[in-house]
């Protein structure tokens, strides 16, 4: 028998913005739980997932008592039901509680006076009789009937879903989306719920009562495996043989080729997947890349006519005002950007990309008589957008913010049905953009837009599938310019040249100590943390701002992993001794943290760096306030996985950012994680000084490892 407490909800003290999770206070009237008996007629805290909450009705919460280490005794509700009252006073309160629109206290009293203890039975089975009561009509009577019946059916449905294996939160979410059709969907093809529940969860529920070789399961597995393989590898096309090998693992290796191919063909016929040579992909993946080609061709077909002589005059004027001299490649890049409606400029650090963007913006404003609202500067991350804005002297936005991302509906407000007004779009850090985001951007741009991409093709490709910048540069109809001459280098500086040597796959025997801005510490894995301790201690002694010092590593776990480094650095650099545990990590006021997800609503984005300004307890629940460059965001319980410590971060997370001082940890145990573009990207994050700790063997092996260049995409097969 399940434990329960019965009573009324007195107050909700926390409610999740992103789901039905709630925390509140509950007055216990009855229970079958021995531990809860002492709370009868008393208030107790409770947690759980709930639909609507009404304080005028009684609830029966099923679950268990729990002694939380910080918040004390609580009842953890796993499921619940609304108790329809039986006594007259409670019935009047229930009917007039606001659940039933248009039914006030007077009308509720008349209904109960007429039907008494039979009120609920009349509402359920003969609701037409309610219309005879003064203040009622048949429409109101039907509404009360439907609301009570729906509530009971919803409760029964949630209980049934719990019995299948869905959590109450999942049950509530799914019920609100599908209603009473949900059971039919589960019985016909449970995998249709994949947008809301993980595949592994659905598969586990399905296999309890069904054959593993069920046709719906095989087709769902094919799509699931394609998606997983794409996100694991960065490919957008998967070889059938590779897919088959992945599939066999779900059947303990007992899965034949004929069964695989027959279901693959069914999915092809249903347009769920697409075949390209001996490879396959999901239709959405294929559609994104096809759309990219279509939209780029559309933009290219709008021809730009600009007087070349006038461009030369504007370039000369810009050079004089800014006291610089562009080389031929830089001038060609500016001219190409002005003459072509789709154009790409690539180059490493120090090649003048930012200055060229500034020149293009100024010249376009003059030649085409554009104002600031006609031009949008975009970047994939908040940090790169901020840097672009500061360098060019004009507002810049993340692509998600520009496209008006709605996190609740997971859609963009700017799309093919509501296009942006801007006439010129300049996108920096283009190597970071995956095919899905770029396809969405193209859909939202006006038909005669000018679109310029700026990036470094030697940096890491996007975290998501695709190799966008590299692929676009290799398309025959795309105009582009590569900048190779390095200018932004101080005397005695080596960082920029090191990046160039890595790009050119140079092999290193040793490093000189003559460089002002670079040092390689040849170290065994066992000594890396000792060296790092010394470096961080010197940072503290020299009063170097932690804003200007960043450690980069490829992995979170392990002795030399990001988590361990963050613990060391927090202890050394943050004098605050009071620690607060969240999961397996400890946080202190003053700690440096990084945002892990895009949150357009709070104007904070994946990769943004902030500092914990306050940790407080509101109604016994922790709340953390983080300042991102003066912009404060409050995080409540359930949202703490949106950030983590950031004294050390991954190189992937650092992309799009620059730091004055950088330390890269290159442990031998991480060797398999490093490759040319990863090392190159890490090195190019440093502006003033760079230290690499690790072995030269690992460094050389990483430089020669090029697998990031081999992403298999549809754009490569055009």
């Amino acid at each position: 028998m399940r434990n329960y407490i019965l009573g009324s909800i007195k107050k909700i003290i926390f409610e999740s913005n992103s789901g039905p999770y709630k925390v509140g206070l509950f007055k216990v009237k009855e229970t079958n739980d021995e531990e809860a008996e002492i709370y009868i007629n008393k208030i107790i805290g409770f947690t759980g997932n709930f639909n609507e909450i009404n304080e005028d009705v009684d609830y029966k919460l099923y679950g268990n008592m729990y002694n939380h280490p910080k918040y004390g005794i609580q009842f953890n509700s796993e499921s619940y039901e609304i108790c329809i009252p039986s006594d007259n006073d409670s019935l009047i309160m229930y009917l007039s509680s606001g659940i039933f629109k248009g039914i006030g206290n007077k009308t509720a009293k008349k209904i109960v006076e007429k039907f008494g203890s039979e009120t609920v039975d009349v509402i359920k089975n003969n609701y037409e009789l309610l219309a005879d009561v003064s203040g009622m009509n048949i429409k109101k009577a039907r509404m009360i009937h439907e609301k009570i019946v729906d509530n009971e059916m919803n409760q029964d449905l949630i209980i049934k879903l719990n019995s299948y294996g869905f959590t109450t939160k999942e049950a509530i979410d799914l019920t609100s989306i599908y209603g009473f059709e949900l059971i039919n969907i589960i019985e016909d093809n449970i995998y249709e719920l994949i947008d809301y529940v993980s595949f592994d969860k659905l598969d586990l529920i399905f296999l309890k009562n069904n054959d593993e070789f069920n046709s719906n399961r095989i087709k769902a597995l094919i799509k699931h495996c394609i998606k997983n393989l794409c996100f694991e590898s960065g490919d957008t096309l998967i070889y059938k043989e590779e897919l088959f090998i992945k599939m066999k693992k779900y059947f303990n290796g007992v899965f034949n080729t004929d069964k695989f191919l027959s279901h693959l063909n069914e999915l092809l016929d249903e347009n769920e997947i697409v075949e390209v040579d001996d490879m396959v992909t999901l239709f959405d993946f294929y559609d994104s890349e096809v759309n990219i080609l279509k939209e780029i061709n559309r933009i290219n077909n709008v021809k730009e006519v600009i007087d070349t002589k006038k461009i030369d005059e504007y370039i000369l004027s810009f050079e004089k005002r800014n006291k610089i001299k562009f080389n031929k490649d830089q001038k060609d890049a500016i001219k190409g950007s002005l003459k072509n409606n789709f154009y790409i400029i690539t180059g490493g650090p120090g090649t003048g990309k930012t200055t060229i963007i500034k020149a293009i913006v100024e010249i376009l404003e003059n030649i085409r008589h554009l104002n600031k609202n006609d031009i949008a500067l975009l970047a994939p991350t908040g940090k790169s957008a901020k840097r672009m804005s500061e360098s060019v002297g004009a507002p810049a936005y993340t692509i998600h913010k520009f496209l008006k991302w709605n996190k609740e509906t997971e859609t963009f407000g700017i799309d093919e049905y509501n296009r942006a007004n801007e006439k010129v779009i300049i996108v920096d850090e283009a190597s970071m953009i995956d095919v899905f985001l770029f396809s969405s951007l193209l859909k939202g741009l006006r038909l005669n837009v000018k679109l310029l991409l700026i990036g470094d093709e030697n940096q890491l490709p996007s975290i998501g599938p695709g190799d966008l910048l590299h692929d676009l540069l290799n398309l025959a109809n795309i105009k582009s310019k590569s900048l190779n001459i390095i200018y932004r280098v101080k005397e005695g500086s080596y960082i920029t040249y090191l990046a160039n040597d890595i790009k050119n796959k140079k092999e290193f025997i040793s490093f000189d100590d003559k460089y002002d801005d670079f040092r390689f510490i040849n170290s065994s894995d066992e000594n890396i943390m000792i060296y790092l301790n010394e470096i961080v201690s010197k940072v503290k002694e020299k009063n170097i701002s932690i804003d200007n010092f960043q450690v980069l590593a490829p992995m979170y776990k392990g002795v030399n992993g990001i988590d361990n480094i963050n613990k060391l650095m927090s202890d050394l650099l943050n004098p605050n001794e009071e620690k607060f545990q969240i999961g397996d990590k400890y946080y202190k006021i003053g700690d440096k943290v990084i945002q892990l997800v895009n949150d357009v609503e709070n104007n904070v984005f994946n990769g943004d760096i902030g500092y914990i300004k306050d940790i407080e307890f509101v109604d016994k629940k922790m709340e953390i306030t983080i300042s991102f460059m003066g912009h404060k965001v409050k995080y409540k319980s359930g949202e703490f996985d949106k950030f983590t410590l950031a004294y050390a971060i991954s190189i992937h997370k650092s992309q799009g950012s620059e730091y004055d001082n950088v330390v890269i940890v290159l442990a031998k145990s991480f060797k398999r994680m490093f490759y040319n573009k990863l090392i190159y990207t890490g090195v190019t994050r440093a502006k003033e000084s760079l230290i690499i700790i690790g072995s030269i063997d690992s460094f050389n092996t990483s430089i020669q490892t090029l697998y990031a260049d081999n992403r298999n995409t549809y754009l490569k097969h055009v």
Side-chain angles (χ1 to χ4, degrees), residues 528-632:
I528 283 176
M529 291 299 283
I530 296 171
Y531 283 117
L532 196 55
N533 196 327
E534 291 175 3
I535 292 166
V536 175
S537 297
K538 286 179 182 177
V539 165
K540 186 178 180 181
E541 286 171 20
K542 293 179 179 179
N543 251 347
I544 294 173
S545 168
I546 199 63
D547 258 346
N548 298 319
F549 178 77
Q550 188 62 57
V551 177
L552 304 177
M555 289 180 67
Y556 282 87
K557 302 303 177 185
V559 176
N560 297 308
I562 291 168
D563 288 342
N564 210 30
I565 296 170
N566 272 320
K567 183 179 180 301
L568 166 75
M569 294 181 69
S570 177
D571 290 343
L572 285 173
L573 298 174
N574 186 349
N576 199 328
E577 292 184 2
E578 189 177 16
K579 296 180 180 181
F580 299 88
Q581 186 173 6
I582 300 173
D584 59 350
K585 296 185 178 70
Y586 289 88
Y587 293 87
K588 300 186 286 186
I589 293 173
D591 270 339
K592 181 179 181 180
V593 293
I594 185 169
Q595 177 77 6
L596 300 174
V597 295
N598 288 326
D599 186 350
V600 179
E601 189 177 313
N602 285 311
N603 197 30
V604 58
F605 299 90
N606 186 0
D608 285 356
I609 299 291
Y611 292 86
I612 295 176
K613 289 298 178 186
D614 195 14
I615 299 176
E616 57 186 338
F617 289 86
V618 179
D619 293 320
K620 296 185 178 181
K621 283 291 182 181
M622 187 187 294
E623 293 185 0
I624 298 179
T625 302
I626 300 174
S627 175
F628 296 91
M629 295 178 290
H631 171 61
K632 291 182 179 179

Side-chain angles (χ1 to χ4, degrees), residues 498 506-513 518-525 528 666-668 671 674 679 692-704:
L498 174 63
K506 178 179 175 179
E507 187 170 352
F508 296 89
I509 298 171
S510 63
F511 287 96
D512 296 326
D513 294 329
F518 175 68
R519 183 183 171 203
F520 192 101
I521 300 175
N522 204 350
S523 168
S524 65
D525 284 11
I528 283 176
L666 181 57
K668 274 189 176 180
K671 188 164 66 173
F674 275 97
I679 291 284
I692 298 177
I693 311 174
S695 74
I696 287 184
D697 283 348
S698 296
F699 188 60
N700 283 323
T701 301
S702 303
I703 291 170
Q704 302 305 319

Side-chain angles (χ1 to χ4, degrees), residues 316 319-320 322-327 330-331 487:
L316 183 61
E319 287 177 323
K320 286 180 179 177
N322 291 276
K323 297 178 182 178
I324 60 170
K325 187 71 177 174
F326 288 122
N327 64 38
Q330 291 170 324
K331 287 180 182 178
Y487 284 91

Side-chain angles (χ1 to χ4, degrees), residues 347-350 353 380-381 383-385 387 428-432 455-461 488 495-496 498-499 502 517 547-553 607 649-664 676-692:
K353 297 192 299 295
T381 67
K383 196 87 176 214
S384 53
R387 196 177 71 245
D428 198 12
E429 298 287 356
S431 64
M432 295 178 66
D456 183 349
E457 64 175 310
N458 295 294
Q459 280 193 33
L460 288 169
R488 197 185 68 208
I495 294 172
T496 304
L498 174 63
I502 292 169
D517 62 352
D547 258 346
N548 298 319
F549 178 77
Q550 188 62 57
V551 177
L552 304 177
I649 61 175
S650 70
I651 295 174
H652 277 97
K653 286 290 182 188
S654 75
Q655 199 170 0
S657 302
E658 286 184 340
Y659 314 93
D660 287 351
N661 310 286
V662 171
V663 175
I664 298 175
N676 187 282
K677 286 193 174 183
L678 192 75
I679 291 284
Y680 176 90
T681 301
V683 166
T684 55
R685 300 311 90 202
K687 292 194 291 184
E688 302 293 335
S689 77
L690 170 68
I691 298 173
I692 298 177

Side-chain angles (χ1 to χ4, degrees), residues 5 28 31-41 65:
I5 55 173
V28 181
T31 182
N32 69 343
D33 187 340
E34 290 182 4
E35 289 184 52
E37 284 180 356
I38 61 170
Y39 294 98
I40 290 177
N41 296 321
M65 300 293 290

